[in-house]
Amino acid sequence: MDLSTLADSIWRELEQANTGRKHPWRTPVLASIDIAGLPQARTVVLRKVCRNTQTLQFFTDSRSPKVGQLRASDQIQLVFWSSVLHWQLRISAQARIETSGAEVDKAWQRIKQSPARQDYLSPFAPGDALPDAATMALEENPNLAIITATVTHMDWLSLSPKGHQRAEISATTIRWLTP
Ligand SMILES: Cc1cc2nc3c(=O)[nH]c(=O)nc-3n(C[C@H](O)[C@H](O)[C@H](O)COP(=O)(O)O)c2cc1C
């Protein structure tokens, strides 16, 4: 791998992960810090990739615990692993939450055509204990939030029998690291 083209290759893979349902980078782990200072990590689906703005987007329920965590502490890490490429990518980023506005409306227009619409219309927040009664009325307004992660730093690791490689990429730095 050539250091001068590494950032291009990584962003190309992220773009492919956004469009290809089977790409292993489609479902990274998003780690945040909760209000007690404890780590909280969970799998999410990559929904948008924009190299120009150095941003990645994810959808979530606006009532989910992660939304409160990200509002209180916006520093996150995203971990991607591909057993096809043998690449791990750890992205450090700053998260922004949107629960209304044109972008949320546009995303909802798409989601509401799909079975996922139910996820955002449930009367219960993610993590709530479910009541015994099996029936539940869906809410009228979606509880959709968009998480926009602005990339600040990438830590790329490539595993190979010929020798592992690791590199750090940020706005000011591109350099090899000891794997
Ligand atoms: C394959 C997979 C994909 C998931 N995608 C999402 C997602 O895109 N957004 C989301 O909020 N939760 C997603 N989840 C559920 C989260 O991992 C998590 O359980 C849930 O959001 C509650 O997290 P929280 O309690 O930290 O807010 C996904 C889980 C799996 C297993």
Side-chain angles (χ1 to χ4, degrees):
M1 180 55 73
D2 181 346
L3 206 50
S4 65
T5 55
L6 180 60
D8 277 342
S9 303
I10 291 171
W11 278 101
R12 205 170 325 116
E13 285 302 330
L14 287 168
E15 282 158 6
Q16 285 173 12
N18 183 43
T19 50
R21 294 187 83 83
K22 291 197 176 146
H23 196 294
W25 277 8
R26 190 171 156 79
T27 49
V29 171
L30 187 165
S32 57
I33 300 166
D34 70 16
I35 48 169
L38 298 172
Q40 297 288 345
R42 78 289 282 162
T43 310
V44 286
V45 176
L46 191 56
R47 299 293 181 182
K48 191 169 170 187
V49 172
C50 180
R51 184 176 181 176
N52 285 346
T53 54
Q54 299 274 300
T55 55
L56 309 176
Q57 279 187 348
F58 308 91
F59 295 162
T60 195
D61 189 307
S62 55
R63 301 163 297 177
S64 70
K66 72 178 84 50
V67 168
Q69 290 161 18
L70 296 177
R71 284 198 165 121
S73 173
D74 64 0
Q75 298 303 310
I76 60 168
Q77 199 162 63
L78 293 152
V79 183
F80 302 76
W81 161 243
S82 166
S83 56
V84 179
L85 299 164
H86 298 117
W87 287 6
Q88 172 185 261
L89 179 65
R90 292 196 295 168
I91 290 184
S92 301
Q94 200 172 17
R96 182 165 47 86
I97 302 281
E98 276 166 287
T99 53
S100 62
E103 197 151 15
V104 176
D105 292 346
K106 197 170 148 207
W108 178 243
Q109 291 312 314
R110 267 205 329 265
I111 296 168
K112 79 175 190 193
Q113 320 287 347
S114 74
R117 63 187 286 277
Q118 297 199 22
D119 298 347
Y120 299 98
L121 294 173
S122 164
F124 309 111
D128 278 359
L130 281 173
D132 292 338
T135 54
M136 65 175 187
L138 295 181
E139 293 201 337
E140 279 181 26
N141 296 314
N143 299 288
L144 174 64
I146 298 179
I147 302 170
T148 302
T150 302
V151 177
T152 53
H153 188 268
M154 289 180 172
D155 178 336
W156 171 85
L157 173 68
S158 167
L159 301 181
S160 165
K162 292 187 207 147
H164 307 324
Q165 287 182 300
R166 183 173 173 191
E168 176 191 4
I169 302 173
S170 72
T172 53
T173 317
I174 302 185
R175 58 176 182 162
W176 293 118
L177 299 178
T178 307

